[in-house]
Structures are given as structure tokens and as C-alpha cells.
Amino acid sequence: MNILKIRALLGAALLAGSSTVALAAPPALYTADQAKAGADVFSQNCAMCHGADLSGAAGPALVGQAFASASNKYTIGPVFTEVALQMPAGQPASLTHEQYEDVFAYILQQNGYPAGTTKFDYTAGLSSKESLVSQKP
Amino acid sequence: MQKISLQHRLKGATAFGCAGLALAAFAALAVPAKAQTAAPEAMPTPPAYTPVSQSDLVGASSSDGWLMFNRDYAGRDYVPFDQINTDNVSTLTTAWASGKIDIPDGFEGTPIVSGNYMFVTTPKDHVIAYNAKTGEKIWQYDYKIAPAAYKTLCCDTNNRGVAVYGSSVIFGTLDNHVVALDATTGKEQWNVSLAEPGVGYSITEAPLIVNGKVIIASGGGEYGARGFIVGLDATNGQQVWKTYTIPSENEPGGDTWPKGMYQTGGGAAWITGTYDSETNTLFWGVGNPGPWLAKMRPGKNLYSDSVLALDPDTGKMKWYYQYTANDSWDYDGVNTPQLADITYEGKDYKAVMEANRNGYFYAIDRTNGKLIYAKPFIHDTSILGMDKTGHAITNDALKPTLTKSIFTCPSFLGGKNWWPGSVDPDTNMAYVPTLHACMTMVGVPVTYSAGLPFLGEKFEMKDDPTSPGQYGSLQAIDLSTGKQVWEQKSAYPWDAGTLATKGGVVFSGTVDGFLKAFDAKTGKVVWTSPQLTSGIISNPISYQIDGKQYVAIWTGWGGVWPIWAGKLAAPEVKIPRGGQLYVFALPSS
């Protein structure tokens, strides 16, 4: 496959990606303060396995289509449950509920979800049926 | 669309370009001038290659090379070479070493040597051919992994090695392809896909070739992926048979699962099996059932945590033996089923030996799947002994529920994990890389969601109260009694395979980066290498070329321990990452 052709394909894929964004703007599920605090929680407890930019290392990517594409059909509940009850791998549930709320807010933000006025809540998060589709390529 | 993560994932591959630089830095160690100056562009004419036949594979135990994952079909990790022996092993020096390969993940590959060629794999599915005598790189193949594959890797980006057959070098990939390369050029001959990436499956094991078929299976037991083993036509990759490790409702064994749960039942057969050419029988281990929480799947959950005896031509099952029924502790049955002819209590048996994750050392009659003996080789509270039918009695009081947290030994990584031990016909001993740790575990709610872990348990590794702070040992077990003969203890987990030799020396690597040689009879350390560039979690091999015996090993810390051992892995955080292949030999006189 020649370079031009690859570029064309990538371009098409990016366009397809952005049209998804335009069609289904995701809801606001957390506050900006939570995401800000969550960035610290992430860099101290998660980055060593998931990469400082969330793009994956020993643990999977937590951003983009390689994390949550439409075809994964993820909802928030199971993914947040994985974070709150299994992560950090090897020391599960070792952070506070607030830290889990914050770090999840950060993950949502990094995946293109907007901040709002309602906080992301630990208990509600565990069973949330809200769909989780990354808005990032 | 996946450009960003693709680039990230290829960082390791780009780093290969710097191999020459790394080599220069490495010049402090004894590397022959040839290897240092080897320029990747100026390829020398590749050495001649003799195609590998089925009879070569049957005779692999007496070959000068190392023709398959465990060296021979019996899976013994033993060489009949004695040039290096207890008298002279202390003089071993580096014959050659690869450049340092800057991938920060675990190097778990076993090199394969056929003639003058050595074929190795690195994490992220790169394959390299070296001249096994000089260390010159002959070719390199960089497989492009579909980014989705990284979603479902529980335990690092491992590739444990290739298989050789005809003029092909064959390996599996993290995104479930099986690829054949030309042995002398590295050019792709065929490439087939066994399953979609990102839903649970991933291949990390080396294939085994039997009767012209590539036998291989995938991982995925942590994601509810229903395990399978396939036989592919080695000439074109076409599937000849596929056997699921978890039966569907109407198949034999299907009634050991609650209705429908077989579909997410796990049972990944993720470590290379063995083969008995006399009876044309393949032996392949099966991993944990899914989800981990046993209370969600009442029943024995066949054939999870079992060893299967299969016909390699059809995939049909001859017998099975289940080590741990209705497992709630992640005690996969995938450790190498090693063939040995043993005498136990005055009777002769054709046996398969397995140091199981559940902490028992098993001898099973390989003609019929009946237990000969099973003895604990670590402090074990999960298994209470064997019942009258010859099966483990599980300690059901120590199975977690959603409301009951338990403490039991061994941990979810087992008394021994995947790294192959050896079976030594000279000493009649098995050498077993052993883990000593326990765990807490409690059930947590889980619903199946393809691509997410499917565990239903929260678990954390803890010290074994009978040996706190001592997470590993290498032990020798008498095949005729199942009893320990010697043990070398270590504060670190014993995370590497063993190599036994006719020279009376057993080799194994340590987490802090030393290759060590032990007296096979007594366990005494008879040689320790200089500290290598990283920790060792791979399997040492040995081969001979032009009358000279070599011992080779990958360094490259990573793998399952630093991801899942939690606080117990704190001492290893400082271990440098990156892989390097070392080859040792006696100094030329």
C-alpha cells in the first residue's frame, strides 16, 4: 500500500471519527474540579502501567478507540467497577472513593466527555448504564 | 483513526534501529568484534539452512540444536551435552550478546536453534534470526499488532517463541494471528487469523509442530474467552481441527457448567504442550475457568484447570485429568506436562509430570489419565490432599463469596507459574521454579462485557506466613517419590525456567539479573554470571555448533509479577527494563 493511499484511509477514518462526535455529543458526568484532582491520582497510581498519556503500557490504553469504541458497547458501570474494585492492579480498592471518582472523571475528560455541574458519584457510577464511547481517535 | 496508539505501540520497534549504539555501550563485556561491527543493512549471505522434518522433531532430544519450545517432545528442558560440566562451569564467559533491545516489557521467549540459525522473539511480536555461532543478525521481522489487542492482555506483551518446520519459522501474535516466515530471509509465507483482537483472546505461546500440523492455542481466561486449541496445516496455515477446551451444553462435560456459561468459561490453553510419538498423543494444559468467582458457576467446570490428551491429527480427546475442580483461585493447569518413565512404589509407569499452580507435584499415567501420585511442593491451604478417585480435595471453606473474604496459599500466581522446569533422566529429578506467596480474595459483582476483565473477585498477594519475605525457590523433586531433594531459597520470586544438562549442571536465571548454575545433585551454586542488564524471566537453552556447547538466555524484566504482585513487587521497581540475549560458552583454549 502506498503512502498516499494510507493517508487517504487515515483521513477518511478521522472524518468518520469526527462525524460520530458531531452526531452524539456525550453528556456531562463530572465536574472540572474532579478531573483536575483526578489527573494527580492518575499520575501517582495509574500512569506507571497505563502510560502518562493514557496510551497504554503494561496495562491497556485508557484513551481513544483502542479503549472504548462504539463497537465495544461499553457502559460506565462495568468499566468504573473495574477501576474501583480491581485497580491499581495488585493493590485493588486501595484508594478512597473520592480518588476513584476523581480519576474516573479524568479518564472521561481525556476521552472527550465535557465537564458539568454534577459530580461523578462512586455508588451511582458502579451501576451506571450510561454508554461509554471515547470521542478521541 | 488508530494512528496515535499505533505509533506508541511501535516505539519498541523503532528502538531496534539503535541496536548498534547499544552494542557499542555494551562493549565492556566480552563481545567478539564481529558482533559489534555487524551493520543491519550490510547483510552477509545467510548461512545455509537445512529444512526440519517430522523425524528431526521426533529426534530433537539428541539434536545439536534446540528445535522446539521445551527442546524435545517430552518437554524435558534437558540437553545430553556435557562439555560444560560441574568441573569447568565456573570458567564460562560471554561468547556473544545481542544489542540491548529497548522494549520495557517482559522478555519471556525461548530461543530456537536449528543448524546455525537462532530464532528469537521479543515482546510485541518481533522475530529476529541470529547466526547462533557469531551473533550476527540475519534478519528481523516486525509484526504490526492491531491496537485493539492491547485491551485484553492481563500479563504483559509477551511472545514465548517460535516453532520450526520445513523451511518455516512459525509463531503466534497478540492479535491472534499465526504467521509463517521463511527461515533464511524472514519473508512472510502465510499469515492467518484465529480470532478477533480485543474481545479476550491473545496468543503468547510458542506453537508445537506435530505431523505437519501447527498446534497452538490462545490466552484470554481473564476475559471470559472460551479456550480452544487448533491444528493448522503447516504448509499454508489452513485450519485442520479446532477443539474447544470448554464443552458446549450437549457435548460430554457440558453438564459441569450452569446453562450457557460455557460461552464465557475461559479455559485458555496458553502454554505449549508436549507430545508422545509412541502413542501419537498430544498433552496440553488448560487454564482457569471464567469468571474467577467459583460461586457463579457451580459444577466441576470441565475442562478448566486440566491436562488434555489429544489426537494431534484430529484434535479428538483421548482422556483428560482435572487438577482443580470448580476453581476459585486462578490455579491454571497449563504448566508443562513433562513426559517421564518413572518407578513409584515398585511399579513402572509411563507418566506425565506437572508441578501444578495448585501447589501439588503430579505424576499421571499418560496411557490412561489416572493419578499415580500428587504431593504438595509448597505450603498449601487450598488443596487438602487427594481423594480416593485420585483428585484434589479443594478446601471449600476457603472459597470466597461476595460477602466472605478468604486468605489462602498459594496465591493466584500458584506454587509455580508458566516458566518451564526440567526433568533430568540422569538424576531422576524434576527442577521446579517455585513461588511462595499467599493471597486474600473476596467476590465482587461482575457482568460479562466483551473486552473487559471477567473476574468477579478482588485479590491481593500476601506473604506466606511460613516463609515471610521469601517469595521464591528453586527445588529439586525426586520423580520416584515426589519428595524434595534440595531447595535454593530466594527473597525474589523464582520467575525463570530451568535447563538441566548431562554435565550435571542445572541453569536458571534470577530476577536481579544473574544466570546461575547449580549442581544437579546437591543444588550447590557452582557458577554465577556477572550481573546482566536486566532481570531474567525466560528459559535458558543450550546447543552445540562445531563441537562447542553454548548456553543462551534472554534478560528483560517484566511479565506477570510486577503487574499483579502489588506491594510484594516493591523491591523490583528498580530493576532496569529492556531485553538482551546473552550466549555463554567455555573460553576457547
Side-chain angles (χ1 to χ4, degrees), chain B residues 53-118:
Chain B
S53 68
Q54 175 63 22
S55 67
D56 292 334
L57 296 177
V58 171
S61 63
S62 52
S63 159
D64 269 350
W66 185 283
L67 293 179
M68 62 184 85
F69 184 63
N70 293 116
R71 179 173 165 86
D72 56 26
Y73 273 144
R76 294 183 302 174
D77 278 276
Y78 163 86
V79 288
F81 312 145
D82 59 2
Q83 186 177 82
I84 300 168
N85 55 51
T86 43
D87 292 336
N88 61 19
V89 65
S90 64
T91 65
L92 275 185
T93 59
T94 313
W96 60 270
S98 73
K100 187 159 185 276
I101 295 171
D102 207 8
I103 303 178
D105 303 348
F107 283 68
E108 298 190 344
T110 297
I112 297 297
V113 178
S114 177
N116 278 30
Y117 281 76
M118 177 189 285

Side-chain angles (χ1 to χ4, degrees), chain B residues 303-326:
Chain B
Y303 301 97
S304 66
D305 293 357
S306 302
V307 57
L308 306 182
L310 303 175
D311 181 324
D313 301 312
T314 63
K316 269 198 145 142
M317 197 181 299
K318 299 186 179 186
W319 55 257
Y320 72 91
Y321 178 87
Q322 190 176 38
Y323 300 106
T324 311
N326 188 239

